[in-house]
Amino acid sequence: MTTHKVNIAEKLAGFTERWAPRRIARVNDYEVKVARLQGEFVWHTHADTDELFLVVGGTLTIHLRDGDVVLGPGEMYVVPRGVEHCPAADEEAQILLFEPADTANTGSEGGERTREPVDA
C-alpha cells in the first residue's frame, strides 16, 4: 500500500467524517487505520481478534462491562478478542487502530454504523 513515510496528523486532517476509519498502511495481514470519533459508538465484540486503540488527540473512553478505560494522547489499550466494548468521546478524539484486514468496525453488532475503511 505505501512505501513512504506517513504523517498521521496530515492523514487525519484530510477528512472530517466521524466513525469512518481511513486506512493509512498495511502490515502483513493487518491494517493501520485512523479515525475521528465523537459521541458514543455501539457495544460490540470482535470474536476472532484483539483490537488496538492508540489515541493521537483528545480523550477516548473505552467502556467495558467491568469498568472504563480512559485514554489520552500517546496512550493505548488493546481490547482482547471476545471482550464487549463501546468506544466513546465527549469531545472529538483522533485515534489510530491496528487490526486484521477486513475487520468490521462494528464487529459482531453490524448495522448502520458499519463502515468499510477507505484509503486516506
Side-chain angles (χ1 to χ4, degrees), residues 1-12 23-26 32 34 96 120:
M1 169 176 230
T2 181
T3 58
H4 57 280
K5 71 179 182 178
V6 174
N7 184 302
I8 294 168
E10 286 177 6
K11 294 295 185 182
L12 283 162
R23 194 174 23 242
I24 61 171
R26 191 170 178 115
V32 181
V34 291
L96 181 140

Side-chain angles (χ1 to χ4, degrees), residues 5-113:
K5 71 179 182 178
V6 174
N7 184 302
I8 294 168
E10 286 177 6
K11 294 295 185 182
L12 283 162
F15 66 98
T16 58
E17 186 180 5
R18 296 196 173 112
W19 302 106
R22 300 296 199 272
R23 194 174 23 242
I24 61 171
R26 191 170 178 115
V27 180
N28 298 314
D29 295 332
Y30 282 75
E31 292 178 336
V32 181
K33 303 169 191 169
V34 291
R36 296 176 166 279
L37 315 178
Q38 188 169 3
E40 187 169 284
F41 201 50
V42 296
W43 282 93
H44 66 283
T45 61
H46 300 279
D48 299 323
T49 186
D50 301 334
E51 186 175 27
L52 182 147
F53 290 86
L54 170 67
V55 175
V56 176
T59 301
L60 175 69
T61 300
I62 301 174
H63 298 297
L64 304 168
R65 293 298 181 188
D66 61 354
D68 295 343
V69 177
V70 179
L71 304 171
E75 295 181 320
M76 62 172 262
Y77 181 75
V78 176
V79 177
R81 72 186 66 199
V83 172
E84 193 175 24
H85 60 287
C86 178
D90 291 335
E91 302 291 325
E92 185 181 86
Q94 301 88 39
I95 66 164
L96 181 140
L97 295 161
F98 186 73
E99 56 196 3
D102 302 322
T103 299
N105 65 325
T106 52
S108 60
E109 187 63 26
E112 65 184 41
R113 298 199 73 183

